[in-house]
Amino acid sequence: MPLHRLTRITIGVPNVAETAAYYTEFGLNPGGDAAFSSVDGGEQLRIAHAPIRRLLELGVGVEDSDDLHRIASRLARIEASHVLHDGRLTATARATGVTGSVTPSPRISRLTNPAPPYNGPGRHERTNDRAPGLLRQTPVRPRKLGHVVLGSTDLEASGRFFVDGLGFKVSDRAADVAMFLRCSNEHHNVLLQPAPVRFLHHSSWEVEDVDEIGRGAHHMLDGHPERHIWGLGRHHVGSNFFWYLKDPAGNFSEYYSDMDCVLDDAIWRPEVFTDIRGLYNWGPPVPASFIAPDDLAALMAGAHSS
């Protein structure tokens, strides 16, 4: 696959300063001009002003400039307008309102850390000491941007744009309500879901393990219980642990760990899930606001007026 990762996202919000403060507390490293970096991915988030909250830009990394020309040909075949200029290809998916920005980018290089020792029945990897996750004192820092979830006014058209146009792979589907797509070896980097208006449902950020999910969420909720949306739980599609929080603009942000890894397309078999597994395997009941965010009517009114 010439695509190999998400590089960055730009989120549009009406309250830039307040939202920027949230993502600083979330653990991303702030830079200039409301830009933020993850530990491994470099600058991966920028916050810009917009009348209503939405995802403005989605960056995708490829190996080299030849890949840009191949993607341009794919977009031309599906009659998707695009611009290839100065080493950058841009194209806008009308049903999501998001501009895809494809550039040659370095792959993320990571050191291999030893797995935390876990005890189990008849298995004692850790003896005479407490679990390492209990002893961590440093703030939780997201390692990289993992995926985004987008509301689309035309799910199939959006699927064609990302799959037939940009070259994403389909990992799984949840009946006719979600399409899980990947541009890397992680199970999904973009999830599309039908919606009456184009909006960003959430961005998802990888942390070290489930202990970091818990530590990060508890830090964010200390004094701010209104930020809680859903968690702790584990998805079935993708297998990842999750905890969802809400930023001041209304976007959800997710800490996740232990995502499925797809290294061989010939071995992975996409499935269609028609039951609750399309949402989760275990965890608290799914809150109504996760399915239909509380500001959805306001987003519809704002999109109509603009």
Side-chain angles (χ1 to χ4, degrees):
M1 179 189 293
L3 312 180
H4 60 79
R5 70 178 177 107
L6 296 185
T7 55
R8 56 179 282 180
I9 54 175
T10 301
I11 299 176
V13 299
N15 51 343
V16 173
E18 188 181 8
T19 305
Y22 171 93
Y23 285 100
T24 301
E25 192 176 351
F26 188 76
L28 295 172
N29 186 34
D33 197 24
F36 297 84
S37 299
S38 65
V39 172
D40 297 328
E43 185 182 302
Q44 294 205 281
L45 171 65
R46 186 176 294 274
I47 299 171
H49 183 266
I52 57 174
R53 67 177 184 88
R54 53 178 292 222
L55 185 64
L56 300 174
E57 183 181 39
L58 176 69
V60 180
V62 295
E63 297 289 354
D64 53 46
S65 59
D66 289 342
D67 294 325
L68 298 180
H69 291 281
R70 282 189 282 268
I71 294 171
S73 296
R74 295 171 65 107
L75 290 166
R77 283 197 293 272
I78 64 169
E79 299 181 345
S81 60
H82 57 279
V83 175
L84 176 54
H85 176 70
D86 199 24
R88 179 171 178 255
L89 186 150
T90 57
T92 300
R94 287 191 292 271
T96 62
V98 175
T99 296
S101 177
V102 186
T103 55
S105 306
R107 290 180 178 267
I108 290 178
S109 177
R110 314 172 96 170
L111 296 175
T112 301
N113 295 327
Y118 285 95
N119 291 338
R123 187 184 75 253
H124 302 107
E125 298 178 1
R126 186 189 73 255
T127 58
N128 305 317
D129 202 357
R130 302 188 193 278
L134 303 178
L135 306 177
R136 296 170 186 161
Q137 298 294 322
T138 56
V140 172
R141 301 296 186 198
R143 297 291 299 268
K144 68 176 177 63
L145 171 66
H147 61 268
V148 294
V149 175
L150 304 174
S152 168
T153 56
D154 188 332
L155 185 64
E156 295 306 317
S158 294
R160 287 193 297 273
F161 175 85
F162 280 98
V163 176
D164 299 334
L166 296 184
F168 280 61
K169 302 285 188 181
V170 178
S171 294
D172 285 306
R173 293 189 68 143
D176 57 352
V177 298
M179 188 181 299
F180 296 80
L181 310 176
R182 67 182 186 275
C183 65
S184 72
N185 58 21
E186 286 209 332
H187 178 274
H188 57 279
N189 304 107
V190 168
L191 191 159
L192 301 171
Q193 60 182 35
V197 64
R198 306 176 298 186
F199 76 104
L200 172 65
H201 185 276
H202 72 263
S203 62
S204 187
W205 301 84
E206 184 187 39
V207 293
E208 198 69 36
D209 54 30
V210 68
D211 280 299
E212 295 298 88
I213 293 177
R215 291 180 64 235
H218 278 259
H219 168 72
M220 293 297 289
L221 295 174
D222 186 15
H224 293 279
E226 75 284 356
R227 291 173 172 174
H228 174 71
I229 296 297
W230 188 28
L232 173 73
R234 187 159 195 166
H235 288 301
H236 189 93
V237 186
S239 300
N240 53 297
F241 294 103
F242 66 81
W243 200 317
Y244 294 91
L245 305 158
K246 183 167 66 173
D247 75 22
N251 306 295
F252 301 157
S253 58
E254 177 190 12
Y255 289 121
Y256 81 93
S257 69
D258 195 22
M259 179 74 74
D260 286 337
C261 180
V262 181
L263 295 181
D264 191 333
D265 293 334
I267 294 176
W268 182 262
R269 293 288 183 263
E271 296 184 59
V272 178
F273 295 91
T274 59
D275 55 19
I276 197 64
R277 292 177 299 168
L279 279 169
Y280 71 128
N281 188 284
W282 59 260
V286 185
S289 61
F290 184 81
I291 305 299
D294 295 335
D295 63 347
L296 193 56
L299 290 173
M300 293 172 66
H304 179 74
S305 64
S306 61

